[in-house]
Amino acid sequence: MVLSLGDRVRAAIAALMQLTGESQADLAVALGVSQAQVSRRQSGSAAWPLEDCARVAAHYRIDVLDLLAGPTRACEGLPPTHPSTPVAPPFPYLCDRTCRASSAGRGPECPQG
């Protein structure tokens, strides 16, 4: 099944909002539109204008072509430095003094050596 351009844009924006933890209200503020406008556009009852697609892409710091390509490309393009991007928890095997990956402390399994 091939998605229309409008469906790809809506899916990409929904994925970006979910990944960054932003709400429709947050996105609306960033774009300078009402939450109701974002809701109508995300529900498909109104289209995302190209100018606003460019503003969405700029807000998330991705290329507008990645936004238009759909959710996978849009999310892959999201830089780790985006203010709303969740910070991944530290890996369980990273440590300061004792490595949990090695019963003897900093062993060969420990990336810190």
Side-chain angles (χ1 to χ4, degrees):
M1 177 175 111
V2 177
L3 295 176
S4 70
L5 178 59
D7 289 339
R8 284 196 311 265
V9 169
R10 283 189 295 278
I13 292 171
L16 289 166
M17 287 178 10
Q18 181 176 6
L19 184 63
T20 60
E22 287 187 336
S23 66
Q24 288 184 354
D26 296 329
L27 182 58
V29 168
L31 299 178
V33 300
S34 70
Q35 185 274 329
Q37 286 177 302
V38 172
S39 178
R40 284 192 297 273
R41 292 171 183 175
Q42 281 302 96
S43 70
S45 62
W48 280 97
L50 287 177
E51 295 82 14
D52 283 349
C53 287
R55 290 172 32 192
V56 168
H59 170 67
Y60 287 112
R61 299 181 186 160
I62 63 172
D63 191 288
V64 70
L65 294 177
D66 290 338
L67 179 71
L68 298 175
T72 302
R73 286 271 300 277
C75 290
E76 288 173 350
L78 189 66
T81 57
H82 185 274
S84 299
T85 303
V87 177
F91 293 105
Y93 57 79
L94 296 180
C95 57
D96 290 327
R97 295 192 176 141
T98 304
C99 184
R100 294 181 205 141
S102 170
S103 60
R106 291 179 188 257
E109 301 90 355
C110 182
Q112 295 180 12

